[in-house]
Every structure is written in C-alpha cells, then in structure tokens.
Amino acid sequence: MNFLLALARDRAALAIEPGQEYLLSCRLAGVANQHKLASVEALVARLRMGRADALAQDTVDALTTNETSFFRDIHPYDALATQILPDLMARRRAARQLTIWCAACSSGQEPYSVAMTIRERVPELLTWRLRIIATDVSQAMVDRTRAGVFTQAEVNRGLPARMLTKYLSQQGTEWQVRPEVRGMIEVQRTNLVEPQPMTGCDLVLLRNVLIYFDAAGKRRVLDRVTRALAPDGLLMVGVSETLFDDRYDFRVVGRTYVYSPKGTAAAPALRGASQEKP
Amino acid sequence: MRALVIDDSKSMRLIVKRQLVTLGFDVVEAIHGRDGLAKLEADATIAVALVDWNMPEMNGLEFVQAVRADPRYQNLPMVMVTTEAESERVVQALDAGASEYVMKPFTPDDLRSKLELLALVP
Ligand SMILES: C[S@@+](CC[C@H](N)C(=O)[O-])C[C@H]1O[C@@H](n2cnc3c(N)ncnc32)[C@H](O)[C@@H]1O
Ligand SMILES: [Mg+2]
C-alpha cells in the first residue's frame, strides 16, 4: 500500500490519507481486471518491476477523481461573461489576443462550457486570437476531452437545453460537441506538479483539483501555475475552495473569487469587485 | 416556493416531489396536462412547473403550448421531465415554450442543476 500511496503522490500528486487506502483497492481492482492480473497485489508487483508504462498510466487514471459537469456551479460562468472576460479584453485590446488555460479539465465539460459561454455571451472574442488550452494528468481524460463525446447522463447535468441542441449533435445515445466548438480547444496531457509548457496565460481555471493535494503539493502546483500566468493574469479556483497563498490577492466578482498575483495591474482592473467576503 | 409536478405516473410524481421538497419547494401534483392547467388556474403562487411529456388527456407539449399562449403565464418557468431523449424532441419542447429539459432517468443533482440555471434554487 505504501508503494501505491507513493505512486499516487508522485505520478498524480494525490494525497490519500491513511485510512483511505480502501479507496485505492476499489479503484484498482478494475485496472487489475482489465490487465488480466489476478489481484491488486499482482498489479502492485507488476508496477514495482517498473517499465509497465501503460499499466502505470491506467493506474494513475484510476486513482484520479474526475467528477465534473457542464457549467459546474454556474456562477463562475456568469462572472466570466459579465466581468472577468470583458475586463481582460479591455486590457488586451491592443494585442487582441487572449489565452485561457483549464488546468485539470477532466472529461472536458469545463473547457467546453468556457467555449460555449464565449460563443453565447462574449462573441467578440471569436474575432481575437483566442486560445483555450485544456490539460489533465489522466490520458483517459485527455482523450475524452479531445473527443468531446458525452453520455446522456452527462449532458443532463448543468448544460442548458438550448446549448445542448445548438452546440452538440446526437449520435445514438451519446452527444458530441460540434466541430466548430471542439476546434476552439487545444488538449494536452500535463502533470500540474511538473514544469508546464504554457506561459503568458491570461486566465487559469484551476478548479476542484487543489483539494486532492497535500500542502506541499498545493505549493508546487501553485508555483507551476504562477509561472504559466501572465504577470497581470487571473486565477479561478473552485467555488468551495479558498486559496491561502500570500502571493495572491483576491477579489469577489458576483459570487466568485478571482485571484491575481500580488502587486500586479490585474486587481484594480476588476471594477466593481470588492475585497469583502460575501 | 411552490412547484407544480405534472406526470401521469404516481411513482414518478413521488420521485420528483421528494427531490423538490429536499430543495425547499412545496409541491402541487397533477395527473395530466388538463389537470395541470386547472391546478395552475387555482393557485397563483405556483412558481415553476415540471412537466412529463407522455400523458393521457393532454400531453406535456400541449400543456406547455397552452400555458405559453396565456398572457398570465408568459414568464412561468417550465421544465420538461421526460424519457423523450431525441434532439428533435428537445428542440420541439423549447420551441413550444419549455424553459429547460431533463431526460429520464435523472439524478437529484441533474434536476437541481437545471433549476439552478433558471435561478430557482440558491
Ligand atoms: C474533480 S476533477 C475537476 C474537473 C474540473 N476542473 C471541474 O472543476 O469540474 C479533478 C481533475 O484533476 C485531475 N488531476 C489530478 N491530479 C492532477 C495533476 N497532478 N495534474 C493534472 N491534473 C490532475 C484529475 O485527473 C481530474 O480530472
Ligand atoms: Mg408519462
């Protein structure tokens, strides 16, 4: 088990508390089965031998929690449309270029919700050089995001019916995001604790992923994200998360917290935002 | 807040009602579209209708059309809750005036998320 805890920590930076190991066995039983291994013990033995890369990747995939939904918590998307994106655009008007990074995109609902929000509510951005980069540590999630195929159960949650019929097309019991929206997203596999290829991001969505890291892991991830962020870029975390990091200021936009590196131009640009907690 | 649940299946009404009560609604039930219109007429405090599609007497699509045609109910939020899962059906319901669409089977979180989109839950 210690070996698995270490793998979880090193490959996915997941902090699994002592006493939660049963979680690992449950999730890994499926992986063992899929690789025709007799048990979780056999799987661990194989992993210990090293060089079992597909197996290691599947193990990491099984250890990560991929819970997500379209327009999760809804308010952050209102904040994006009404204030965050307009403010960023005001500051980028000369270059007409904007980069948004969905770090930890899971199966893709988040980046596609961002893309649909832009199409519906901030269409001017479509005439800019807009990049929406979506990344996740799990290869399975990266593949799913790229495919943009969702089950009926997935489109039943959070996705406005009007957007469902406008931006997805039905294929049997599944729904696929239409090519014009899929084409807006660049998908890559990256591990947030390792150096990130992107730089100069104007907005990073780092939602509902920090909760899985211990304090040291959180710090490492924030280092990586800070380095990828433009000096006056903005950072959003999940609605139930608070960033306790003295390198960041925060503002409240509607019901959403938006963070910016301390002492940058970003903070005052969020007009009408308050420093008060609601 | 008061919700009207229209479904010809008693067990389905119970499922939807339970979920709505958990979200803080009180619930009025109707067994088909015509019954739904009567309940709506009788109770001006109804703030949202959850409407099955396939029902005797008056189906959900006809109900939605009838409600939207009435100037008193122009802004009443209506959510279709149905096994109909074809894209064309969703379009048809929206064109008729439905505000949102939930496909059966659904989870409490699914229903909640759609009510959230309509700003009916905090
Ligand atoms: C709960 S989901 C959140 C998805 C989405 N951001 C949202 O808020 O709905 C967490 C995601 O973080 C990913 N993840 C976990 N550890 C990671 C790491 N070290 N690097 C990148 N992604 C990671 C998981 O694979 C999973 O898809
Ligand atoms: Mg029925």
Side-chain angles (χ1 to χ4, degrees):
Chain A
M1 266 311 160
N2 286 337
F3 174 79
L4 279 178
L5 293 182
L7 181 84
R9 195 189 55 231
D10 298 340
R11 293 286 294 245
L14 292 177
I16 289 159
E17 302 298 324
Q20 285 194 327
E21 292 92 346
Y22 71 93
L23 268 178
L24 295 186
S25 337
C26 289
R27 295 194 194 157
L28 291 181
V31 181
N33 203 14
Q34 182 191 330
H35 285 263
K36 303 203 166 35
L37 296 161
S39 62
V40 173
E41 288 68 34
L43 182 149
V44 172
R46 177 67 61 85
L47 285 171
R48 275 183 194 282
M49 287 160 44
R51 283 188 292 124
D53 256 10
L55 184 63
Q57 182 61 54
D58 288 348
T59 304
V60 170
D61 286 356
L63 292 177
T64 50
T65 308
N66 306 119
E67 170 81 10
T68 187
S69 72
F70 285 104
F71 295 93
R72 185 173 187 168
D73 304 314
I74 191 70
H75 306 294
Y77 293 93
D78 284 333
L80 271 185
T82 59
Q83 206 160 36
I84 297 168
L85 291 174
D87 280 339
L88 280 170
M89 288 168 74
R91 283 189 274 135
R92 300 287 188 268
R93 198 149 290 287
R96 293 174 64 82
Q97 182 175 333
L98 205 70
T99 302
I100 302 171
W101 175 25
C102 288
C105 64
S106 190
S107 34
Q109 284 90 331
E110 181 177 88
Y112 287 122
S113 299
V114 170
M116 288 186 273
T117 298
I118 289 171
R119 292 190 91 88
E120 287 288 307
R121 303 177 67 180
V122 201
E124 191 201 334
L125 260 184
L126 299 173
T127 67
W128 287 34
R129 274 178 52 207
L130 170 69
R131 294 183 71 194
I132 303 174
I133 302 164
T135 67
D136 201 280
V137 71
S138 158
Q139 187 60 45
M141 291 302 115
V142 165
D143 293 343
R144 283 216 48 196
T145 300
R146 198 168 281 141
V149 175
F150 297 96
T151 63
Q152 180 171 309
E154 288 166 336
V155 300
N156 223 11
R157 168 101 45 105
L159 182 60
R162 213 175 39 78
M163 295 207 197
L164 170 68
T165 58
K166 187 169 173 185
Y167 294 119
L168 289 86
S169 59
Q170 193 168 30
Q171 290 161 2
T173 59
E174 300 191 319
W175 298 73
Q176 183 171 34
V177 177
R178 293 185 196 273
E180 64 270 26
V181 184
R182 253 185 295 143
M184 294 170 69
I185 315 284
E186 301 165 40
V187 193
Q188 289 181 47
R189 199 192 79 82
T190 74
N191 185 341
L192 285 170
V193 296
E194 289 165 2
Q196 298 299 304
M198 28 281 175
T199 52
C201 296
D202 300 297
L203 174 66
V204 177
L205 278 72
L206 184 69
R207 302 171 69 214
N208 304 299
V209 61
L210 284 174
I211 36 175
Y212 301 109
F213 295 89
D214 60 17
K218 281 194 176 83
R219 204 165 321 113
R220 275 165 76 193
V221 170
L222 276 172
D223 284 343
R224 303 304 186 193
V225 168
T226 308
R227 237 167 270 172
L229 207 57
D232 60 346
L234 301 175
L235 172 64
M236 293 169 79
V237 296
V239 293
S240 53
E241 302 174 289
T242 314
L243 201 62
F244 291 110
D245 192 301
D246 53 16
R247 287 168 295 179
Y248 282 87
D249 283 327
F250 74 89
R251 289 290 181 279
V252 186
V253 182
R255 300 195 194 176
T256 302
Y257 292 89
V258 183
Y259 297 85
S260 49
K262 269 217 162 80
T264 65
L270 287 169
R271 288 178 308 274
S274 85
Q275 185 69 267
E276 305 279 306
K277 300 220 177 196
Chain B
M1 209 182 287
R2 184 156 297 171
L4 172 62
V5 174
I6 314 174
D7 200 305
D8 58 331
S9 149
K10 188 176 178 187
S11 55
M12 205 54 227
R13 287 198 304 273
L14 192 64
I15 290 173
V16 178
K17 180 177 173 170
R18 283 223 181 100
Q19 297 185 5
L20 288 170
V21 167
T22 309
L23 293 172
F25 288 88
D26 56 50
V27 171
V28 178
E29 295 177 46
I31 58 171
H32 50 59
R34 198 168 309 286
D35 186 26
L37 287 179
K39 297 279 160 62
L40 200 56
E41 186 79 38
D43 187 345
T45 68
I46 289 170
V48 55
L50 295 101
V51 192
D52 180 28
W53 191 308
N54 297 301
M55 297 182 287
E57 296 287 325
M58 176 189 264
N59 72 30
L61 191 73
E62 292 162 342
F63 172 85
V64 167
Q65 281 163 339
V67 170
R68 277 291 176 257
D70 187 327
R72 288 173 300 169
Y73 306 130
Q74 289 296 300
N75 300 317
L76 180 76
M78 290 186 281
V79 182
M80 289 302 278
V81 183
T82 171
T83 49
E84 299 290 333
E86 297 282 305
S87 185
E88 294 73 28
R89 292 302 215 178
V90 183
V91 172
Q92 207 180 353
L94 294 175
D95 286 350
S99 328
E100 264 307 332
Y101 203 98
V102 176
M103 300 168 197
K104 294 174 184 168
F106 58 92
T107 67
D109 282 343
D110 297 343
L111 183 62
R112 171 186 235 288
S113 74
K114 294 305 175 100
L115 294 170
E116 242 168 18
L117 290 175
L118 299 171
L120 292 167
V121 289

